[in-house]
Amino acid sequence: MLKQERAVRTLRSLVHSAAKLFLRHGYAQAKLAEISADAGVSTGALHFHFESKAALASAVQVAAAASLREAVRTASRLPGVNALQSLTDASHALADTLRRDVVARAGLQLSCDTTCPTEWDMCQEWQESVRQLLARAAHENLLAEDAIRHDAATSIVAATTGMELLARSDAEWLSHATLTRFWELMLPSLATPEALAELEPAGTRPGGRRSLRPAQRPAAERVALVAEPLLSR
């Protein structure tokens, strides 16, 4: 039992260390010797668990995929929450997981790294989740008459994945405030007035900051809120 627990701890430590070094150096430049040293184990112990760097990268991606999928699944299935709020909450959950979980960040980055073998495409999965939630929103009669679901899905996916990419050099792009500002601008173009009055751009997570709803702000102020991060750079 003790050996099994020690093996599990070693495996987790290797995955965590690999994630840090894949983020720092990229897949091609990361060295197994550095990963094992960071994890505090021998290279022999590393190879006991992983036969190659590709296998270790795969383990990082598997762990990342599980974490990100669970975040989106949990946030988008809260009882008593409509589909547009579920979509907003899911994006916040995804961003929160990426902010706090180095393995999730590394796994997502590896899935976009052309030098790394991968069978996982988180961007494609997120796009499908957005499409499904918008379809549910249409079924729930939450969408404004002129809202075009395909264009809305494209815009949301492009914006949110773009934030993740920009956050690799400036973490503020993936902050709760930045994502809230995006939804403050986006939701009024999607929702009916009745639905909009019930939506929370900051998300409905427990303890989350509750901001003024878009309908309570003048249009010029909403645009300024979204433009502020860009203008301040």
Side-chain angles (χ1 to χ4, degrees), residues 52 63 114 167 188 196:
S52 65
T114 56
L196 184 62

Side-chain angles (χ1 to χ4, degrees), residues 177-178 180-186 188 201 209 211-229 231:
T178 298
T180 296
R181 290 168 183 172
F182 165 74
W183 285 115
E184 286 176 336
L185 183 67
M186 190 71 186
R209 178 180 64 82
S211 65
L212 292 175
R213 293 189 176 94
Q216 296 172 291
R217 287 194 170 115
E221 184 181 351
R222 294 201 304 270
V223 172
L225 281 169
V226 176
E228 182 186 346
L231 296 175

Side-chain angles (χ1 to χ4, degrees), residues 8 21 29 32 42 52 55-56 61 65 69 72 80 96 116 123-124 130 140 144 147 149 161 171-172 178 199 213 226:
V8 170
L21 290 165
Q29 298 301 317
L32 290 179
S42 67
S52 65
L56 185 50
Q61 291 181 73
R69 285 168 181 158
V72 171
D96 181 65
C116 177
C123 292
Q124 184 64 39
V130 171
E140 294 174 6
R149 274 166 40 196
T161 55
E172 182 62 22
T178 298
L199 294 175
R213 293 189 176 94
V226 176

Side-chain angles (χ1 to χ4, degrees), residues 74 147 186 189:
T74 299
M186 190 71 186
S189 68

Side-chain angles (χ1 to χ4, degrees), residues 151-201:
D151 291 345
T154 299
S155 298
I156 293 167
V157 172
T160 50
T161 55
M163 287 175 190
E164 186 278 327
L165 181 61
L166 290 164
R168 296 178 190 181
S169 57
D170 182 354
E172 182 62 22
W173 280 103
L174 206 60
S175 70
H176 183 253
T178 298
L179 192 55
T180 296
R181 290 168 183 172
F182 165 74
W183 285 115
E184 286 176 336
L185 183 67
M186 190 71 186
L187 288 173
S189 68
L190 281 178
T192 65
E194 297 78 12
L196 184 62
E198 301 300 321
L199 294 175
E200 177 50 69

Side-chain angles (χ1 to χ4, degrees), residues 6 15 17 28-29 34 36 53 57 79 89 109 144 172 198 224:
R6 185 161 53 246
V15 169
S17 294
Q29 298 301 317
E34 292 182 26
S36 61
K53 184 164 67 171
D89 289 352
Q109 187 165 312
E172 182 62 22
E198 301 300 321

